[in-house]
Amino acid sequence: MNKTSTTSSSIAQYPVSKQPVGASVGIPPRRVKFDFSKDTVPHYFFANSAFKSTFILAMSATFPEGELLFVKSVKQFRDRISDPKLKAEIAGFIGQEALHSQAHLAFDTAAEQHGFSLKKLERIHGDSMKFTWKLFSPKARLAFTAGVEHLTAVLTELLLSDESILESMSPEVRHLFLWHSLEETKYKAVAYDVYQTIGGSYRTRVLMMVYGVIGFLGTSAIFQARLLAEDPRPFNLRDYVSGFNFLFGRKGKFLPMFPMLLDYFRPNFHPNQHNTDALLAKWREDLFGLEGLLTPQFPQGQSVH
Ligand SMILES: [Fe+2]
Ligand SMILES: [Fe+2]
């Protein structure tokens, strides 16, 4: 199992009065001050493309309620975990996911000001999360979380590996996705480890991953179609085709996600088999180092570790 380096020399060292539990295992709650408004989140914030911008918005609409379900599903089993390291990782996971949920709510609210029905989509997704919660057993809910966390880890690994993916995005939105990607990559194994510790079966693990991945991708596609239908610009086939090719075409940026997702079906799979240590070290420095992109938006007194 790979361990992540936390020794980067120029990471800002802020005084921390009371160290959050998650910080002891490198998963501190980081309250980054984002400035989401109609100006910092332009109508077409991604390459001036309606297709690419709505692709991101559709995903973002699923995050606030989705991440709250992830938190609840892990909390169900917190008392059954005795390993102090995993307990601290759970605390870190809960703190960071809750902050992601809040940040995406604020981002969605800014996008709504341009006429996109993000709040309506958030409510629809909230209902579908309630349905999932009621339909499945506590263990299956956790398997759902572990499966979707794998999908998230695959997407965020691709985002952090290829800077050209986000380079044409408006700065504040790009920073949101870089911050979120860094943190998801760091704790990608937490829900999986809790699931294994409580004796979750292979069958439920893979079935709930299939349910979660199909549900997430299907919901995102439907949401994107709804958002595109609201687009005030005239229909632009060229934008749609080039946006789709950029993401999923023959040289699409997200095409490698499909074989990476299949790794999850190996009985001896573990999320840390995808080595992301170097990526984490690079991006922690780039975002929170002394000259970091997010350092000015990161109030002193918090731990970056
Ligand atoms: Fe998250
Ligand atoms: Fe997550």
Side-chain angles (χ1 to χ4, degrees):
M1 198 179 293
N2 302 307
K3 304 288 178 212
T4 302
S5 165
T6 56
T7 56
S8 185
S9 58
S10 63
I11 293 289
Q13 300 289 328
Y14 297 131
V16 179
S17 52
K18 187 170 181 288
Q19 189 89 325
V21 178
S24 64
V25 285
I27 315 176
R30 298 191 185 100
R31 293 178 189 278
V32 179
K33 284 187 175 170
F34 289 105
D35 172 25
F36 295 127
S37 67
K38 214 175 169 186
D39 297 328
T40 58
V41 182
H43 200 147
Y44 305 104
F45 56 83
F46 195 177
N48 197 28
S49 158
F51 188 91
K52 287 184 187 173
S53 301
T54 53
F55 174 77
I56 294 293
L57 288 175
M59 284 200 295
S60 185
T62 71
F63 290 161
E65 290 289 340
E67 304 207 286
L68 291 180
L69 183 142
F70 299 163
V71 166
K72 274 169 54 184
S73 72
V74 170
K75 268 186 179 170
Q76 298 173 114
F77 295 101
R78 188 153 55 166
D79 294 344
R80 286 176 53 182
I81 303 300
S82 53
D83 174 30
K85 180 168 176 283
L86 186 53
K87 273 175 111 66
E89 287 171 345
I90 291 170
F93 170 86
I94 290 171
Q96 290 197 346
E97 285 289 42
L99 290 174
H100 300 163
S101 182
Q102 288 172 19
H104 280 274
L105 273 175
F107 168 61
D108 294 352
T109 301
E112 175 108 357
Q113 291 173 27
H114 292 292
F116 291 119
S117 303
L118 267 292
K119 295 294 145 186
K120 191 171 177 190
L121 298 184
E122 283 174 358
R123 282 195 296 277
I124 293 170
H125 191 252
D127 288 342
S128 95
M129 290 295 95
K130 284 190 192 92
F131 174 76
T132 292
W133 187 263
K134 278 195 187 134
L135 189 63
F136 294 108
S137 69
K139 218 177 244 185
R141 294 171 193 155
L142 180 61
F144 170 79
T145 297
V148 180
E149 284 288 278
H150 177 57
L151 169 65
T152 310
V154 164
L155 290 172
T156 56
E157 184 178 342
L158 293 173
L159 279 182
L160 296 179
S161 302
D162 182 352
E163 294 190 43
S164 73
I165 298 177
L166 297 183
E167 71 183 355
S168 56
M169 203 179 249
S170 298
E172 202 69 0
V173 188
R174 181 169 169 267
H175 294 169
L176 167 70
F177 278 87
L178 288 173
W179 163 72
H180 196 164
S181 296
L182 172 75
E183 300 200 337
E184 290 287 343
T185 305
K186 175 66 194 179
Y187 63 63
K188 62 185 176 181
V190 174
Y192 186 94
D193 285 342
V194 174
Y195 182 74
Q196 297 294 9
T197 304
I198 62 158
S201 71
Y202 170 78
R203 202 170 86 125
T204 301
R205 169 166 81 77
V206 296
L207 285 175
M208 291 309 293
M209 181 265 199
V210 170
Y211 171 82
V213 168
I214 291 176
F216 176 78
L217 297 178
T219 302
S220 297
I222 292 166
F223 282 6
Q224 185 180 10
R226 288 183 67 141
L227 293 169
L228 283 171
E230 296 173 346
D231 183 18
R233 275 185 186 169
F235 175 72
N236 183 342
L237 184 63
R238 183 180 287 187
D239 176 47
Y240 288 24
V241 171
S242 81
F244 183 84
N245 279 337
F246 175 78
L247 297 165
F248 298 111
R250 216 154 48 85
K251 291 185 180 167
K253 302 291 186 185
F254 287 146
L255 201 59
M257 80 183 223
F258 295 106
M260 291 165 83
L261 283 175
L262 291 179
D263 286 348
Y264 201 76
F265 290 86
R266 278 191 282 106
N268 63 351
F269 169 82
H270 188 275
N272 286 345
Q273 288 162 353
H274 286 212
N275 188 340
T276 43
D277 286 2
L279 268 185
L280 283 169
K282 174 204 165 359
W283 281 106
R284 206 164 63 93
E285 177 73 24
D286 286 1
L287 296 183
F288 296 105
L290 291 177
E291 304 281 316
L293 280 171
L294 293 178
T295 303
Q297 292 162 246
F298 188 65
Q300 290 204 7
Q302 299 185 74
S303 170
V304 293
H305 297 293

